[in-house]
Amino acid sequence: MSDNELGAFLRARREAVTPTEVGLPSGPRRRTPGLRRSEVATLAGISVEYLTRLEQGRDRNPSPSVLGSLADVLRLTVEERIHLRRLEKASNGADDPCCSAAPPPALSVRPTVRALVDLLEPTPAVLLNRLSDVLAYTTGYERIARPLGLLDGERPNLLRFVFTDERARTAFTEWDRVADEQIAHLRSESPMIDPHVMQFVDELTVLAGAPFSDRIEAVPGLPRRSGVQSLDHPEAGALRLSYESLALPDVDGQRLLVHLPADDATSAALDRLNGRQPGGLRAVSG
């Protein structure tokens, strides 16, 4: 195995992207396949010299923002971005930045809170921690979220789903607003110097690129604790859900997100989804 896997991967991807894919003219006198280093560097906002050092293995510690920009320019898929992140970690020998000084996000659920979640059936409700990891949910929420792909994987995360899963852009008809609110929640729940948050931000900067990094670097706004969310559901069709976000006392950053139908059509759709008689979940105006 080469000792410059990161550089080899970047070069291979650069040579696989055509000029037309990034909006550049493809002249007849190109001596290199794919994109020139100068073209990639310009589009990514870095110097040609720096890109050369990365490809040649003379610099093995690019920042997450640089990796995210390169991933955007090179049209990397989510799987390729994950691979890029792993190669970067392997190339610089970086240790996990999380430390014992800051407690990790809570993954356990108090028995009383779990009982409360169970009592909310069939209301769609989900318990999240400060990084938006999914900790517990009702079957009513599962029937909405699982067909969307939100609960895929061993450790589902709402924020990661919004920014890295293409299905999210179809499901959330107001994706930009949802994305803004997810960033606002992240910034309000934890300081950005929290090493666990820093690691998560670095990960999503690489995996999601500019749609995430531009928002995380912008002037932060306050999260909305209530409102109406529109969904295009693959089984239930168009849904309008009123929501309330409730912070739990004495728990590190956990919040309970509860949804209710915002109109009669959504109420009927959720009843069908849950296999209940009409009127099981009554419409509530936002």
Side-chain angles (χ1 to χ4, degrees):
M1 179 179 293
S2 168
D3 65 352
N4 184 27
E5 294 293 308
L6 174 63
F9 179 74
L10 288 173
R11 179 171 181 173
R13 290 304 307 149
R14 174 171 63 82
E15 294 178 347
V17 179
T18 65
T20 55
E21 288 181 278
V22 296
L24 296 175
S26 54
R29 302 178 61 182
R30 301 182 68 91
R31 293 180 296 176
T32 181
L35 298 177
R36 301 185 179 102
R37 278 182 182 149
S38 59
E39 293 168 335
V40 172
T42 298
L43 292 170
I46 61 177
S47 69
V48 179
E49 292 76 13
Y50 185 52
L51 179 57
T52 301
R53 294 201 304 272
L54 287 176
E55 289 191 357
Q56 294 178 350
R58 293 186 286 118
D59 190 309
R60 298 171 181 264
N61 193 29
S63 69
S65 61
V66 167
L67 287 180
S69 295
L70 287 171
D72 287 346
V73 173
L74 299 176
R75 300 296 194 266
L76 299 190
T77 64
V78 171
E79 292 75 14
E80 288 169 333
R81 289 170 184 261
I82 293 172
H83 184 60
L84 178 66
R85 176 74 168 156
R86 289 171 178 165
L87 290 177
E88 182 271 331
K89 284 184 171 294
S91 70
N92 65 24
D95 294 326
D96 189 330
C98 292
C99 60
S100 58
L107 296 177
S108 60
V109 181
R110 281 204 310 251
T112 50
V113 174
R114 188 172 293 277
L116 174 62
V117 172
D118 292 340
L119 288 172
L120 289 173
E121 296 285 8
T123 304
V126 59
L127 182 68
L128 307 167
N129 67 12
R130 71 178 191 263
L131 295 187
S132 293
D133 290 320
V134 175
L135 306 181
Y137 46 84
T138 61
T139 56
Y141 183 82
E142 182 176 15
R143 290 191 177 103
I144 291 177
R146 193 168 294 283
L148 302 180
L150 201 160
L151 298 179
D152 290 357
E154 295 182 359
R155 188 172 169 178
N157 181 284
L158 177 58
L159 196 152
R160 184 185 290 110
F161 173 75
V162 168
F163 280 98
T164 67
D165 197 312
E166 286 298 321
R167 293 173 293 184
R169 291 180 178 267
T170 300
F172 296 110
T173 57
E174 298 175 288
W175 185 88
D176 285 302
R177 183 170 68 84
V178 172
D180 290 342
E181 290 183 6
Q182 288 302 310
I183 294 295
H185 274 293
L186 176 66
R187 300 192 67 143
S188 70
E189 299 295 347
S190 301
M192 289 295 101
I193 59 172
D194 180 329
H196 304 278
V197 175
M198 291 171 63
Q199 183 189 40
F200 191 45
V201 167
D202 286 353
E203 174 193 343
L204 291 184
T205 296
V206 177
L207 297 186
F212 176 81
S213 60
D214 288 350
R215 285 178 167 86
I216 205 70
E217 293 170 5
V219 177
L222 294 176
R224 297 181 62 184
R225 302 295 180 180
S226 64
V228 176
Q229 186 175 89
S230 298
L231 279 177
D232 185 3
H233 196 272
E235 296 179 5
L239 300 176
R240 293 184 67 250
L241 298 168
S242 297
Y243 66 86
E244 294 285 342
S245 182
L246 310 173
L248 297 186
D250 304 322
V251 183
D252 179 28
Q254 289 188 5
R255 57 190 169 99
L256 185 62
L257 186 58
V258 182
H259 299 82
L260 290 168
D263 53 37
D264 290 336
T266 299
S267 176
L270 292 186
D271 283 338
R272 291 193 299 271
L273 203 61
N274 288 305
R276 294 172 61 88
Q277 294 295 320
L281 285 173
R282 296 182 180 178
V284 178
S285 59

